[in-house]
Every structure is written in C-alpha cells, then in structure tokens.
Amino acid sequence: MNDDVVLYHAENGVATVTLNRPDQRNAINPQVCDAIRAAFDQIEADPEVRVAILTGAGTLFCAGMDLKAFAGGAGDTILFGQYGFGGFVKRQRTKPVIAAVEGAALAGGFEMMLACDLVVAGNSAQFALPEVRIGLIPGAGGAVRLPVTIPRVRANEILLTGKPFAAAEAADWGVINRVTDDGQALAIAMTLAEDIASNALLAVRHTLAIANRAHAANDAAHWAENDKAIVQIAQTADAAEGARAFIEKRAPVWQGK
C-alpha cells in the first residue's frame, strides 16, 4: 500500500482523491487534512480536471476524526484548519465532487460526504453521526447541512440518537444519489463523473455555483454558531471522557460538564 495518507490520480478530466489510511479506518488527522487540502488545490488549479471523486481505500470510506489525534491535542487543527474539517467541508469549489462510499461513512466521514455534490454508495454502506455518543457534536457540517437536505424530523433522529442507517434508507431520504452493488461505487461514480465532464465546462461551473448558493443561503450564520458550539463542547469533561472511552473500548461515564 502506498505510504501517502491521500492518493491523487487524474485522467480524462476526472481527478480521484483517495483517503489512504485503511488500517486506521481512513480517520482524519492533521496530515490527512493537509493532503486533502493540497489535492483540491491541485484540482482547482488544473484546467484539465473538470470533476473530482472522493473515496476511501480499503473497506471503509471514512470513520471521521482520528480520536487518538484529538485526545493528543490536535482537535483544533483538524476541525478549524483552512477549509474546516479535513481541509474540505467548508471549501468553496468550482468543480463538482462525487463521493464514492463503500463500507461506511461515519461522523466526520459522513460530514465530508455531505459536503460533496453527489454521492454513490455500495449496497452494504452504513452512515451515522455518532458524535453525541462520545460527548461531541456533529460540528463538521452534519448539524448545518443535514436538516436542509432531508426532512427535519429524520435529521433530528440521526443527529440526536447517533444510530447508523443503511444505504437504502439514505437513498429513500435523498442523502445519496445511487446505490450500487458492493465494490462498484467507485466505478459508478466514475461513469457519473465522465457524464458531467463531457458537458460544457462553463455551463457546469455556473450551474453548480447557482445550485450551491441557493442551498447554502444562510451558511455563514449557521457555521458561526456551529463553530462556537464545537469549541465549547470540545473543552468539556464529557468530550475528553468520550474520546478516552472510545480508545479504551469501554462505555463512557458522563459527568454532564
């Protein structure tokens, strides 16, 4: 396996960005943030690239933030570095990004998926925002984007219970575009990317900009409130306990402070 934490490949107008920490469930640490940021800098700068695909190596898309890195004090770097979590979730892009999900997109991984413009997922894929189960909040876009993507009551159930849901449900609710046979998400995403790449570049770019502007009319205010809440929650004893309990594979003991 390549030692790079993120892999980059571009061909025929499509760039593929692959999270490459399969032994760590493609969890996001500061090095991954830097590499994702650099990959999308390259995508934006390359006139030959028209569409991008974001995917994960191995059997899982992304399990979210690396809690060992968080427990070690890297939380601010991962969450509040340039372009937000993963160097990605707050980025203003001019080119469409398709998430190709196999296995699971959890916590920050799910929020990175929500930041993409289209999503293709394998039939067995699972999705969840389990942050409340470890004393944190879904602060990388989950609480901002999900309630305007699906019905509010569905979003609240996902956000407040932290329980996983399946690809079929995600498709029914409009969270993802297509469900494929397991192992085929990247191939189908590539076909979708090639369809987009064959269209007029400026027309695609301006259409995407208009669609995103309509969808995110109140983003700035929501992100400001979101980020304030992350800072407050991340400093609590419960947040520290949740991370320790996850690493130690035990049930957390909440203190309510």
Side-chain angles (χ1 to χ4, degrees):
M1 176 64 72
N2 193 304
D3 290 335
D4 293 340
V5 294
V6 170
L7 305 179
Y8 181 89
H9 177 76
E11 186 175 3
N12 298 326
V14 180
T16 303
V17 179
T18 305
L19 306 177
N20 191 40
R21 302 182 73 211
D23 293 341
Q24 291 79 35
R25 294 159 57 86
N26 293 324
I28 306 298
N29 65 10
Q31 292 72 35
V32 176
C33 294
D34 290 342
I36 293 173
R37 197 178 296 117
F40 280 92
D41 284 346
Q42 188 169 348
I43 288 165
E44 287 294 321
D46 188 345
E48 298 299 316
V49 173
R50 295 182 168 220
V51 187
I53 295 172
L54 179 64
T55 192
T59 59
L60 187 126
F61 177 73
C62 177
M65 180 162 57
D66 186 326
L67 290 182
K68 290 184 179 179
F70 174 77
D76 281 356
T77 301
I78 297 169
L79 289 165
F80 300 118
Q82 187 180 24
Y83 306 130
F85 180 83
F88 181 74
V89 299
K90 294 183 182 180
R91 182 167 196 141
Q92 299 297 309
R93 305 181 309 269
T94 64
K95 301 175 184 181
V97 180
I98 304 169
V101 179
E102 298 282 0
L106 308 173
F110 181 65
E111 291 168 302
M112 290 180 72
M113 185 196 88
L114 284 176
C116 294
D117 303 295
L118 301 97
V119 184
V120 178
N123 185 61
S124 296
Q126 293 279 311
F127 308 89
L129 290 170
E131 283 89 344
V132 292
R133 296 186 166 208
I134 56 170
L136 296 172
I137 67 171
V144 172
R145 291 190 167 112
L146 196 61
V148 297
T149 301
I150 65 176
R152 183 179 64 87
V153 292
R154 290 287 193 192
N156 285 342
E157 181 177 350
I158 293 166
L159 291 164
L160 300 179
T161 69
K163 290 184 177 180
F165 57 101
E169 293 174 291
D172 286 345
W173 298 344
V175 178
I176 63 178
N177 296 83
R178 300 184 187 178
V179 179
T180 74
D181 291 338
D182 289 338
Q184 293 300 306
L186 181 57
I188 299 303
M190 184 62 70
T191 299
L192 190 56
E194 290 169 349
D195 286 344
I196 295 170
S198 69
N199 293 327
L201 173 63
L202 290 178
V204 168
R205 180 174 296 184
H206 285 282
T207 299
L208 179 67
I210 293 166
N212 285 343
R213 200 156 48 239
H215 190 69
N218 297 313
D219 257 11
H222 290 162
W223 276 116
E225 184 176 350
N226 177 87
D227 291 354
K228 181 180 178 181
I230 294 175
V231 172
Q232 292 174 340
I233 291 294
Q235 295 173 348
T236 64
D238 277 354
E241 165 63 10
R244 283 195 302 268
F246 180 86
I247 293 167
E248 296 168 6
K249 296 180 169 48
R250 62 174 174 81
V253 180
W254 304 123
Q255 300 178 40
K257 59 182 182 180

